[in-house]
């Protein structure tokens, strides 16, 4: 393994652990605000995503098109992300340590079956990362995350900072129409809009 490859993996892990810490802190307030209070959809959640080494997270909302437009829900998610910056500013190191401990417990799962260990290690081979001690590296990275680091990461990656990138996909379904009312001509089924903000 080359030195540059090792650095790349190290950066990925620190970035991933920051992302997971942020996501863990955001899960409950996001669900409370968007799902419980505003009732924007029947399933709202956030998840981290690693696509070919590009780390990110998404917030997905399944909504009833008759209640809210996808544009409105997108606006509400943006407002929540803005308000979450205030939550981060009020977060103490002790509160962050509690989230870090929860993340540590979530990440540490003993392989119950040999297949779990094989799958985990085979994933390292398939992705060509070969980090068979990933859990220990992630724990090490987690120990070095402070509340100021998390705030800075949020400002750069979420709050229209220099590393902010957004792709918003809106999928809108139509009501079922009886076969006797279906036109033989193909209809436009939906549209996709790409937005990139620098």
């Amino acid at each position: 393994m080359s030195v540059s490859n090792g650095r790349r993996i190290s950066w990925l892990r620190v970035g991933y652990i920051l992302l997971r810490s942020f996501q863990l802190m955001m899960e409950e307030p996001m669900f409370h605000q968007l799902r419980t209070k505003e009732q924007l959809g029947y399933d709202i959640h956030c998840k981290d995503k690693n696509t070919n080494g590009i780390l990110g997270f998404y917030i997905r909302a399944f909504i009833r098109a008759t209640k809210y437009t996808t544009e409105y829900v997108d606006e509400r998610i943006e407002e929540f992300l803005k308000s979450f910056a205030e939550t981060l500013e009020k977060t103490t190191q002790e509160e962050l340590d509690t989230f870090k401990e929860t993340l540590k417990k979530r990440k540490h799962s003993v392989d119950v079956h040999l297949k779990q260990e094989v799958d985990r290690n085979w994933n390292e081979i398939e992705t060509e990362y070969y980090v068979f001690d990933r859990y220990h590296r992630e724990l090490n990275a987690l120990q070095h995350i402070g509340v100021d680091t998390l705030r800075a990461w949020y400002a750069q990656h979420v709050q229209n900072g220099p590393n902010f990138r957004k792709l918003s996909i809106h999928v809108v379904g139509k009501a079922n129409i009886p076969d006797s009312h279906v036109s033989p001509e193909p209809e436009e089924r939906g549209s996709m809009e790409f937005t990139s903000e620098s």
Side-chain angles (χ1 to χ4, degrees):
M1 184 184 299
S2 69
V3 173
S4 61
N5 196 20
R7 286 185 187 144
R8 179 172 162 247
I9 291 170
S10 178
W11 180 85
L12 262 175
R13 288 301 95 201
V14 171
Y16 174 74
I17 292 298
L18 273 168
L19 184 63
R20 289 292 291 138
S21 300
F22 158 73
Q23 179 189 340
L24 183 63
M25 292 178 71
M26 191 176 76
E27 281 176 352
E28 192 279 326
M30 182 198 65
F31 188 85
H32 179 69
Q33 180 63 37
L34 300 178
R35 170 67 178 92
T36 306
K37 277 186 165 180
E38 297 186 34
Q39 298 182 358
L40 293 182
Y42 54 90
D43 182 14
I44 297 177
H45 64 274
C46 64
K47 183 134 177 69
D48 58 276
K49 184 86 170 143
N50 181 345
T51 306
N52 298 320
I54 299 171
L55 295 174
F57 75 96
Y58 62 86
I59 297 174
R60 182 165 54 186
F62 293 99
I63 60 172
R64 289 191 179 87
T66 56
K67 191 168 184 180
Y68 299 110
T69 65
T70 57
E71 292 82 8
Y72 176 77
V73 173
D74 195 48
E75 289 172 18
R76 299 310 308 146
I77 290 171
E78 289 297 320
E79 284 302 312
F80 170 77
L81 290 172
K82 287 177 188 173
S83 71
F84 190 72
E86 297 169 16
T87 302
L88 274 181
E89 284 303 316
K90 296 174 186 172
T91 302
T92 65
Q93 185 61 46
E94 292 76 25
E95 290 170 322
L96 177 60
D97 288 343
T98 303
F99 284 107
K100 287 167 50 174
E101 191 60 35
T102 301
L103 182 56
K104 181 179 172 183
K105 288 176 184 175
R106 282 188 184 181
K107 298 222 47 85
H108 181 66
S109 59
V110 178
D111 296 323
V112 179
H113 305 285
L114 182 60
K115 183 177 178 351
Q116 291 172 314
E117 183 178 3
V118 169
D119 288 348
R120 183 171 32 81
N121 288 320
W122 188 250
N123 184 57
E124 295 296 334
I125 295 168
E126 283 183 322
T127 58
E128 297 180 2
Y129 285 125
Y130 309 109
V131 183
F132 300 106
D133 63 342
R134 182 175 302 275
Y135 171 72
H136 298 292
R137 289 184 185 208
E138 289 176 349
L139 281 183
N140 186 37
L142 187 60
Q143 291 173 352
H144 295 94
I145 294 175
V147 71
D148 291 332
T149 307
L150 194 59
R151 288 177 188 144
W153 178 88
Y154 189 80
Q156 287 203 345
H157 292 89
V158 181
Q159 291 186 295
N160 293 323
N163 296 324
F164 174 73
R165 302 291 182 269
K166 176 185 175 185
L167 170 64
S168 183
I169 300 173
H170 300 243
V171 178
V172 181
K174 295 185 179 183
N176 290 333
I177 301 171
D179 289 340
S180 61
H181 294 88
V182 175
S183 165
E185 297 294 317
E187 296 180 35
E188 180 183 337
R189 296 289 178 186
S191 63
M192 185 181 339
E193 178 181 339
F194 172 75
T195 56
S196 176
E197 300 175 23
S198 301

